[in-house]
Amino acid sequence: MPRVSQDQLAARRHEILAGARACFARHGYEGATVRRLEEETGLSRGAIFHHFRDKDSLFLAVAADDAAEMAATVARNGLVQVMRDLLANPDVAGWLGTQLEVGRRLRTDPEFAEQWSERSGAIAAATRERLERQRDAGVLRDDVPVATLQRFLELAYDGLVKHLAMGRPTDDLGPVLDLVEAAVRKP
Amino acid sequence: MPRVSQDQLAARRHEILAGARACFARHGYEGATVRRLEEETGLSRGAIFHHFRDKDSLFLAVAADDAAEMAATVARNGLVQVMRDLLANPDVAGWLGTQLEVGRRLRTDPEFAEQWSERSGAIAAATRERLERQRDAGVLRDDVPVATLQRFLELAYDGLVKHLAMGRPTDDLGPVLDLVEAAVRKP
């Protein structure tokens, strides 16, 4: 057997995740069958499931990749910037919608919920740290606990995800995000 | 054939909708099979589909009933009160989750989306009218257009729906709704 370098393994893994993301976005969680995952990645099921145990693991790995990128943007520019980026890129609707489709699993399958919450934990931590830095810099309002401001921003983010996933128009949401941002800052 | 009064018809219709709502909440849109709809309503498929053309019509009728009740609450007490009511009643999560599950249909099936938007149109109109009355009464901030305040409240509502549908904890959301409410009011 040829030796496969770590770089090659990482590249293959990345390739599978990109194809899986497109497949979940297009067909939804239930609709992303093994056959469709093969088509979208251009790889056999053997190759795919050599890297990921099952469809759940694949889905959670795509979500974890997404979360890492999102946490990095939050740390750098804040959760409102993540929202502005989503607004500028409405073809993410398919993938956001697929995330909503697993809500029932999250309420009824504790193991799945546990793995999912590791994903959202990284984003929550980045949001919290960024808000604390902003408060130290005197930018944030100081009459409301940081934890409440964090939940408020997360609520707005969740609302935007639902809005986009339901295919609603986005052209008038820019000023709404301005209002969200202003609500956590010093007047 | 016995003559059936309008009252009897309305009562039967109401009975079907209540059972269907419970069935959609418990099993989701796809999971609400005809057999399960029969079990949950205690009626035969013949009796159910005498009143509603198909599962889509039944789902949209449940949603329309919900929307009428929600629009009435909005007109009386505003969209923030609808959010506070949701927060006090977290066992609505199943039904909210089922509403999210149709996101893909809304993006890809124009006829379904059209029927759904009639439903949300009534709530949007009630929200708008209530905000205009509040502005006339001098309660609202006047540096931001009413349309933006409306979208802002709808974004928060959507966020709460997603939050509840994903089974996340709700105990710290009361102060977040206070912040949402304060953001549309005069300081």
Side-chain angles (χ1 to χ4, degrees):
Chain A
M1 257 175 90
R3 283 166 56 112
V4 181
S5 72
Q6 284 304 108
D7 279 3
Q8 284 171 306
L9 274 179
R12 173 54 59 93
R13 193 187 140 90
H14 184 78
E15 190 184 359
I16 296 171
L17 288 178
R21 190 180 202 274
C23 188
F24 284 123
R26 194 189 313 267
H27 302 291
Y29 188 81
E30 293 305 327
T33 57
V34 172
R35 177 179 295 274
R36 283 177 171 155
L37 286 164
E38 288 181 319
E39 281 168 14
E40 201 85 46
T41 58
L43 296 167
S44 71
R45 58 192 70 196
I48 296 170
F49 294 114
H50 175 71
H51 289 262
F52 299 94
R53 201 178 56 204
D54 51 23
K55 188 163 108 173
D56 270 8
S57 306
L58 190 49
F59 174 77
L60 288 163
V62 175
D65 244 35
D66 235 46
E69 198 182 310
M70 189 171 148
T73 305
V74 168
R76 231 171 20 242
N77 300 313
L79 194 54
V80 175
Q81 187 58 46
V82 172
M83 295 188 235
R84 296 197 195 279
D85 293 347
L86 280 181
L87 209 54
N89 187 19
D91 56 334
V92 295
W95 168 244
L96 297 177
T98 303
Q99 293 183 47
L100 297 191
E101 286 167 8
V102 299
R104 189 166 305 276
R105 283 284 301 283
L106 292 175
R107 294 196 308 279
T108 56
D109 179 341
E111 199 192 334
F112 187 82
E114 169 74 28
Q115 291 174 291
W116 180 266
S117 79
E118 285 172 24
R119 172 204 163 278
S120 36
I123 300 166
T127 304
R128 179 61 175 261
E129 281 162 25
R130 161 112 182 150
L131 283 171
E132 278 166 357
R133 286 201 307 278
Q134 297 273 82
R135 168 160 297 176
D136 293 346
V139 178
L140 286 198
R141 62 192 293 170
D142 48 21
D143 57 337
V144 173
V146 167
T148 302
L149 300 179
Q150 177 189 344
R151 301 271 175 261
F152 170 80
L153 290 180
E154 288 167 351
L155 193 79
Y157 171 77
D158 280 343
L160 184 63
V161 167
K162 174 170 178 278
H163 186 103
L164 295 173
M166 306 301 265
R168 300 188 55 206
T170 58
D171 40 355
D172 47 6
L173 286 185
V176 175
L177 296 188
D178 295 342
L179 198 52
V180 168
E181 189 158 38
V184 301
R185 286 173 178 257
K186 274 219 175 99
Chain B
M1 259 175 90
R3 283 165 55 111
V4 180
S5 72
Q6 283 304 107
D7 277 3
Q8 283 171 309
L9 273 180
R12 173 52 59 92
R13 193 186 140 89
H14 183 78
E15 189 184 1
I16 296 171
L17 288 177
R21 191 182 200 274
C23 188
F24 284 123
R26 194 189 314 265
H27 302 291
Y29 187 82
E30 294 304 329
T33 57
V34 172
R35 177 179 295 274
R36 282 175 172 156
L37 286 165
E38 287 182 319
E39 281 167 16
E40 201 84 48
T41 59
L43 296 168
S44 71
R45 59 193 69 196
I48 297 169
F49 294 114
H50 175 71
H51 289 263
F52 299 94
R53 201 178 56 204
D54 51 24
K55 189 163 107 173
D56 271 8
S57 307
L58 189 50
F59 174 77
L60 288 163
V62 175
D65 244 34
D66 237 44
E69 197 181 310
M70 190 172 148
T73 305
V74 168
R76 229 171 22 240
N77 300 313
L79 193 55
V80 175
Q81 187 58 48
V82 171
M83 294 188 236
R84 295 197 196 278
D85 292 348
L86 280 181
L87 209 53
N89 187 19
D91 55 334
V92 296
W95 168 244
L96 297 177
T98 304
Q99 294 182 46
L100 297 191
E101 285 167 9
V102 299
R104 189 165 305 276
R105 285 283 301 282
L106 293 175
R107 295 195 309 277
T108 56
D109 179 341
E111 197 192 335
F112 188 81
E114 168 75 29
Q115 292 173 290
W116 180 266
S117 78
E118 286 171 25
R119 172 203 163 278
S120 35
I123 301 166
T127 304
R128 180 61 176 260
E129 281 162 25
R130 160 113 182 151
L131 283 171
E132 278 166 357
R133 285 201 308 277
Q134 297 273 81
R135 169 160 295 179
D136 292 346
V139 177
L140 287 198
R141 62 192 293 171
D142 48 21
D143 58 336
V144 173
V146 167
T148 302
L149 299 179
Q150 178 190 344
R151 302 271 174 261
F152 171 80
L153 291 180
E154 288 166 351
L155 194 79
Y157 171 78
D158 281 343
L160 184 63
V161 167
K162 173 170 178 282
H163 186 103
L164 295 173
M166 306 301 265
R168 300 189 56 207
T170 57
D171 40 356
D172 48 5
L173 286 185
V176 175
L177 296 188
D178 295 342
L179 197 53
V180 168
E181 189 159 39
V184 301
R185 287 172 178 259
K186 274 220 176 95

